[in-house]
Amino acid sequence: MAQPKILPLLLTATLCCLSALPSRTAASGGGGGKPLVTAITKDAATSLYTAPLRDGRPLVLDLSGPLVWTTCEPEHETLECHHRECVHAHAYHPPRCPHTGNGVADEADRFRCKCTAHPYNPSTGAAATGDLTRVALAANATDGRNPLRPVSFPAVASCAPDAHLAKLPAAAAGVAGLARARLALPAQVARAQGVADKFALCLPSGGGGQGVAIFGGGPLFLLPPGGQDVTARLAGGAALRRSPESPGYYVSAKSVAVNQQQVPLSVHGPLAVELSSTTPYTVLRPDVYAPFVKAFDDATAERKRVTPPAPAPFELCYDSRELGSTRLGYAVPQVDLVLEGGSNWTVFGGNSMVQVSDDTACFAFLRMEEGKKGGYGEGAAAPAVVIGGFQMENNLLVFDEEKRQLGFSGLLFGRQTTCSNFNFTLAA
Ligand SMILES: *[C@@H]1O[C@H](CO)[C@@H](O)[C@H](O)[C@H]1NC(C)=O
Ligand SMILES: *[C@@H]1O[C@H](CO)[C@@H](O)[C@H](O)[C@H]1NC(C)=O
Ligand SMILES: *[C@@H]1O[C@H](CO)[C@@H](O)[C@H](O)[C@H]1NC(C)=O
């Protein structure tokens, strides 16, 4: 494949690390140093979010995944075990996956050690073993307003057997890990395109059209025309934290509030909050969930409930015809995650109430199953809160690895727009 292209790429990567500079390198991909834009679709059957990055075939977006993985052609390039990318592919080890070393003898050349990696399926919780290879991914270069032109770029990816696609959306060809790891997609795009190691993620709601992601960060404009760069007018943010053995995104919260009243918790000290695009609804650790749901229950005591409070898994359901609407969704008490650093992640009705039938809406926060955190860093203490996809929809998020900072716009309905308002018409 694109062998001559790869060498200069590796050289720039090496040079960059030797001089310990931030990962901003000279433009080298076909995108001319421009950020890349891709559309995002929410799969109705699985509630997973995908982007058509692999020859138009979708890859599932996984904020907690350190690798890109996909099914491969029988004939494919393999990287060698001593290759630095092989070492990076083993920086994080999936749960319940035997340690088998960095590779195996190559059947084609028994003196060669062929690198293998462990792709992790966030839906089934299963890990597999596959060759570390290079694949071509595709997106469009963008100025933040429109796609400008298609760009194909090589990415290091792990192969996976077909069976490893279980429980992913029907058309999906694999997973694009977006975590804080060298072989995750944002860092690879940064090196291939010579753009910043950051990305903007705007997840669409189900049935609400396509969302958008821009690798390389902003600017990002949403219709109606004349609007400002959303990434330049964020409502809040917080420092990104690390959790042992997990490459995912964590922030730290001081407290949780319902209706601007602090929820009394039995735990003291900071609350670890993870962001997960493969968790459909926000889950809270049982010690946080119980007082939190009680606070929301109390604050909505006057509202008409739907009894029995089915359907599972929701605990609090309401007659939605009587909830009342605002432009931020149903008129229910707001939920605040009071973050370290002074800003609040505020959840309004649009992100807290899910419509489960024509006249029933349920409070879309769930109890974390005890002892069943799953995913990378499984051995570490469970975070207090895992913010799920539904609570991130129509809220533009900027994950900036260079500044180690998360930024968010807040619910875009407040700005008369949504994540489905990117203009995907190719610029003339
Ligand atoms: C680039 O954008 C055009 C216009 O939206 C779209 O049809 C095409 O599929 C995009 N290409 C890629 C590789 O995403
Ligand atoms: C954050 O939320 C808390 C609880 O609702 C509130 O007391 C505080 O004033 C809010 N802070 C900001 C900066 O909005
Ligand atoms: C979308 O972008 C195209 C190309 O720049 C432009 O012609 C069109 O007017 C835009 N659509 C809207 C609704 O602004």
Side-chain angles (χ1 to χ4, degrees), residues 37-39 52-53 55-56 137-141 147-151 423-426:
V37 67
T38 187
L53 294 159
D55 295 330
L137 299 182
N140 275 288
L148 299 177
R149 61 187 168 276
V151 173
N423 185 347
F424 276 106
T425 306
L426 217 48

Side-chain angles (χ1 to χ4, degrees), residues 186-210:
Q188 293 211 60
V189 173
R191 293 195 295 276
Q193 291 296 111
V195 292
D197 188 1
K198 64 176 183 178
F199 64 101
L201 184 70
C202 210
L203 298 178
S205 57
Q210 293 189 315

